[in-house]
Amino acid sequence: MKSQFPHLSFLDCIRPEPGWQTDCALVSTYSAQVPVIAAVLLALSGEVDETGSGSRVGLVRALTGLRGKVHVVLQSGRLTQGRHDSAIAALLDQFLVQVPWNESAGADGKSWHAKFMLVRQVPEERGSTAERWVFMLGSRNLTLDTSWDIGFSLKGGGPGGRDVTPQRIEGVARLATDLGAQFPALARWTELASALRSVAWSVPRGLSVADLQLMLPGDVTRSLPKPIPQLQRLVAVSPFLDKGAVADLGRWPRRDEHTRFQLLSTRSALEGVLGEGGKLAGYELLALAEPELESAPHAPLSDDEAIEADRIGLHAKMIYAEHATGNTLWLGSPNLTRRAWTRNAECVLKLEAQDKYGTDLLRGGLEALLDCADTIDDEALDGSVSAPSIEDRLASARNAVAAQLAIGKQRRTPSGGVVIQCGQVPRPADAKITLHCGQMRGALTEWPDGATSHVLAAGGVDSDCVHCRLELEGVAISWVQVVPFEPSLDVEQRDAQVLSEYLGSRQMLSWIHSVLTGYTDGDEGGRWDDDPSRAPKRPHKSRVTHLELPTLEQALRMWLKDRSRLDEVDRILELRRRSIGGDQADAEREHLDRFATTWRVIRSGLPGAAS
């Protein structure tokens, strides 16, 4: 990998430093995969490891500790499963804010396409009023796609540095206010907007944030950036195009005949502009591979495996301008389409270079990216329009069905089952496409023709998340849909049951061991997403079965030093108490039961302890 491509691990950016913890976080994406959401939660809780994963115990700590603090906003129909069907996916309903917009509604179609993260961190030490902030935006979704993306990260409230300049950015506060007004679940962010206005963000030396916008449907002032006079060079990078936006940008005024207009996209997107009757004259055309937006989750590359730069798909979106007064870069989520700049929800940042150092920062990575692309002759492009493929038909149907299911409800039947009820038939308009739905970890059954409701097969996990699949001629597309229960689920009981089964007595004892001693014994259940049915069976050698029952003196000492640890043990045992059944009786379970009995006695003897 060339040095011009700095590797930005967004998980490292959002992981709190020692002594700090995540107070709240807002994550916005167009699409997501369950393993990546899990990795984000692990990072926000400080549980992520160097591979971007974590243990089973670590994930449970993240799920229980961050519920109500972290929200993931995403487009309806754009969440997919991981390598195998995990019950953990059912618990993500407490973190998801699904936007029920119809992406296929013709001229009124719109998508939640904004991609950013906003995180507030506070000290673990109680009583401190200090706070730190992290803000990131770019073109990356919460998926395992390895395409070229672009991002920009800022930290605020913490120590600065020699290579940064402090700057207040009003756009971050506006973003928080707008989201708090848009979604009831995010109302707290409206209250935090005043604090965000006073944050001094650390901007890389040589650069200035000229503007930050969360563009929402109905904003009358939003548009493609206004033309800059005296252009010396213009570079547009986008994997998706339409003829209108390409023409709008192409009309920006050039300084003279030496002004260069460059357009980096994919070959199919360039051909699509011609297929719409558009023109590409005036642009130097370049192309990279297609992004793998619907790629199946896959294992990470091994240490000796690499992907050549020209084989990596393009997913970055930016507009770069060199002009008489300096250098400007717009980056973020919008593609070079009129829909992106006028109807979708998009987030875009405008950066300006303040000196040669800043100019080199903006230009260096861009030039290296252009060097990886192939030069395209517009006469070699095929502008003919082909018939929609089966995959195209399924994708279009998914957009419409997801919008219909998003406004539906799950309800209990008189017999105790679960039924999805919609105001209209959610079957695709294409009669050859069939819809199948089911509970998480349950069987999928076909939605009846002409019906506005469908009873789900028994045996799955109760969740606002529902597993959906569309099928056509042996080809299928699957996703996870949020269909809220009415009345709401008892998520405490549901989570306790799922997490207790997910961990088992051994890992619960290991969790308690780490809380009481401050270190792990190494038995935290393996990677959170390992398939237990494929794991080799081997005898366990763990010290947790020999975990000594605490004395009143030890508990009192811990209560005086850090009573939050005692509260955490209470939460672990409450998970076990609320679960029904559980793993089979064995030495670990018997030891856990004895520990719980002793713990109740000790807790009742502590000053001010709840009975």
Side-chain angles (χ1 to χ4, degrees):
M1 191 66 67
K2 296 184 179 181
S3 60
Q4 292 95 330
F5 298 129
H7 179 69
L8 174 65
S9 171
F10 72 89
L11 296 180
D12 289 341
C13 287
I14 62 177
R15 177 169 49 191
E17 294 181 0
W20 292 78
Q21 61 186 347
T22 298
D23 173 66
C24 55
L26 179 57
V27 182
S28 176
T29 184
Y30 170 63
S31 59
Q33 291 172 332
V34 169
V36 183
I37 294 180
V40 168
L41 295 176
L42 285 163
L44 288 170
S45 63
E47 299 284 350
V48 71
D49 60 25
E50 65 277 3
T51 69
S53 185
S55 69
R56 287 187 166 227
V57 171
L59 181 60
V60 172
R61 280 196 291 256
L63 289 167
T64 56
L66 295 177
R67 191 171 68 186
K69 298 180 179 180
V70 177
H71 294 91
V72 179
V73 186
L74 78 167
Q75 171 64 37
S76 174
R78 294 293 173 172
L79 175 63
T80 56
Q81 280 272 38
R83 289 178 295 176
H84 58 269
D85 186 9
S86 170
I88 291 299
L91 309 189
L92 294 182
D93 58 359
Q94 300 302 296
F95 296 88
L96 302 178
V97 178
Q98 178 180 260
V99 183
W101 294 347
N102 190 341
E103 298 188 79
S104 298
D108 296 324
K110 56 188 177 183
S111 306
W112 183 270
H113 200 252
K115 304 172 178 71
F116 61 85
M117 296 188 187
L118 179 57
V119 183
R120 180 176 185 257
Q121 299 172 345
V122 297
E124 292 178 347
E125 180 183 354
R126 295 187 178 186
S128 174
T129 59
E131 61 181 7
R132 291 180 179 178
W133 296 88
V134 179
F135 180 73
M136 300 176 60
L137 91 163
S139 60
R140 182 180 175 85
N141 290 304
L142 295 188
T143 68
L144 296 169
D145 178 34
T146 57
S147 298
W148 289 119
D149 274 297
I150 185 171
F152 191 76
S153 67
L154 294 166
K155 293 190 176 183
R162 296 178 56 186
D163 292 328
V164 297
T165 303
Q167 181 183 347
R168 287 183 169 81
I169 303 173
E170 173 64 25
V172 181
R174 287 199 308 266
L175 177 148
T177 300
D178 290 345
L179 283 167
Q182 185 85 11
F183 304 106
L186 308 180
R188 186 189 175 194
W189 287 96
T190 302
E191 303 170 3
L192 292 172
S194 59
L196 285 166
R197 289 189 180 91
S198 62
V199 173
W201 297 94
S202 296
V203 179
R205 177 169 63 90
L207 298 178
S208 173
V209 176
D211 194 19
L212 169 65
Q213 283 186 289
L214 173 62
M215 301 187 295
L216 296 173
D219 292 348
V220 295
T221 59
R222 61 180 293 179
S223 67
L224 195 70
K226 290 181 171 53
I228 296 179
Q230 296 295 304
L231 272 178
Q232 301 166 359
R233 184 187 184 194
L234 181 69
V235 182
V237 179
S238 175
F240 300 101
L241 308 168
D242 70 19
K243 67 175 184 179
V246 170
D248 293 341
L249 200 63
R251 285 191 285 268
W252 281 23
R254 304 171 185 241
R255 187 182 67 174
D256 52 39
E257 67 275 11
H258 300 295
T259 298
R260 301 177 66 189
F261 275 37
Q262 295 172 285
L263 178 58
L264 171 59
S265 187
T266 66
R267 189 180 188 93
S268 64
L270 294 171
E271 291 177 338
V273 172
L274 297 179
E276 293 177 342
K279 298 183 182 300
L280 297 170
Y283 286 101
E284 300 174 29
L285 304 180
L286 302 106
L288 283 169
E290 309 280 338
E292 297 183 9
L293 299 181
E294 299 289 350
S295 59
H298 53 274
L301 296 175
S302 60
D303 291 340
D304 59 349
E305 198 173 3
I307 299 177
E308 295 297 329
D310 58 359
R311 289 174 50 207
I312 300 176
L314 176 67
H315 195 245
K317 304 110 164 62
M318 59 182 133
I319 299 173
Y320 171 74
E322 295 179 3
H323 45 91
T325 58
N327 300 268
T328 305
L329 176 70
W330 292 266
L331 66 95
S333 64
N335 286 294
L336 187 54
T337 65
R338 283 183 174 173
R339 170 172 168 152
W341 289 94
T342 62
R343 299 204 308 271
N344 287 348
E346 307 278 2
C347 192
V348 62
L349 182 78
K350 180 182 179 182
L351 286 172
E352 292 183 345
Q354 301 297 299
D355 52 29
K356 184 180 182 303
Y357 184 82
T359 297
D360 291 342
L361 281 179
L362 294 185
R363 186 185 292 163
L366 176 63
E367 296 291 0
L369 180 62
L370 296 178
D371 287 344
C372 295
D374 296 324
T375 301
I376 301 295
D377 184 348
D378 60 348
E379 294 184 358
L381 295 173
D382 180 5
S384 60
V385 179
S386 58
S389 65
I390 291 178
E391 290 78 9
D392 292 335
R393 292 163 64 186
L394 286 171
S396 178
R398 186 259 313 274
N399 293 342
V401 169
Q404 294 162 1
L405 288 174
I407 57 177
K409 300 292 183 184
Q410 292 187 74
R411 294 185 172 91
R412 294 288 181 192
T413 65
S415 61
V418 176
V419 60
I420 298 179
Q421 296 177 335
C422 293
Q424 54 184 314
V425 179
R427 287 291 297 264
D430 189 333
K432 294 183 179 180
I433 299 177
T434 58
L435 169 64
H436 305 255
C437 296
Q439 290 187 305
M440 303 304 295
R441 304 215 77 183
L444 274 66
T445 53
E446 184 175 347
W447 194 290
D449 284 332
T452 58
S453 64
H454 177 45
V455 178
L456 303 181
V461 179
D462 286 345
S463 172
D464 286 353
C465 291
V466 176
H467 192 185
C468 301
R469 184 174 70 231
L470 292 172
E471 297 181 359
L472 174 62
E473 298 180 15
V475 181
I477 184 172
S478 298
W479 74 97
V480 176
Q481 179 75 40
V482 175
V483 184
F485 261 88
E486 191 175 84
S488 300
L489 283 171
D490 179 356
V491 294
E492 295 285 350
Q493 181 66 50
R494 187 274 312 272
D495 289 7
Q497 181 67 30
V498 172
L499 294 177
S500 178
E501 294 175 358
Y502 178 70
L503 288 182
S505 298
R506 175 176 293 276
Q507 275 69 56
M508 283 195 167
L509 283 167
S510 180
W511 186 0
I512 293 172
H513 179 273
S514 66
V515 173
L516 294 178
T517 64
Y519 63 90
T520 177
D521 76 330
D523 186 10
E524 295 206 337
R527 287 171 58 100
W528 79 268
D529 56 347
D530 283 343
D531 187 350
S533 65
R534 298 182 180 179
K537 296 186 180 297
R538 56 182 181 269
H540 293 285
K541 295 181 180 180
S542 173
R543 291 173 294 174
V544 293
T545 55
H546 304 293
L547 177 64
E548 295 182 0
L549 300 180
T551 65
L552 179 59
E553 180 182 357
Q554 290 172 327
L556 181 59
R557 189 182 305 118
M558 184 178 295
W559 182 82
L560 292 171
K561 182 179 180 181
D562 183 4
R563 68 181 64 183
S564 66
R565 290 193 180 188
L566 303 185
D567 295 337
E568 186 171 357
V569 174
D570 289 343
R571 289 195 297 271
I572 299 169
L573 295 177
E574 179 65 10
L575 280 178
R576 187 63 175 182
R577 186 190 69 80
R578 292 179 66 101
S579 65
I580 302 171
D583 49 7
Q584 296 180 349
D586 54 22
E588 285 83 9
R589 180 174 180 179
E590 292 174 1
H591 191 78
L592 181 59
D593 291 341
R594 290 198 305 272
F595 180 90
T597 300
T598 303
W599 187 257
R600 284 194 297 271
V601 174
I602 290 175
R603 285 294 266 155
S604 65
L606 292 176
S611 58

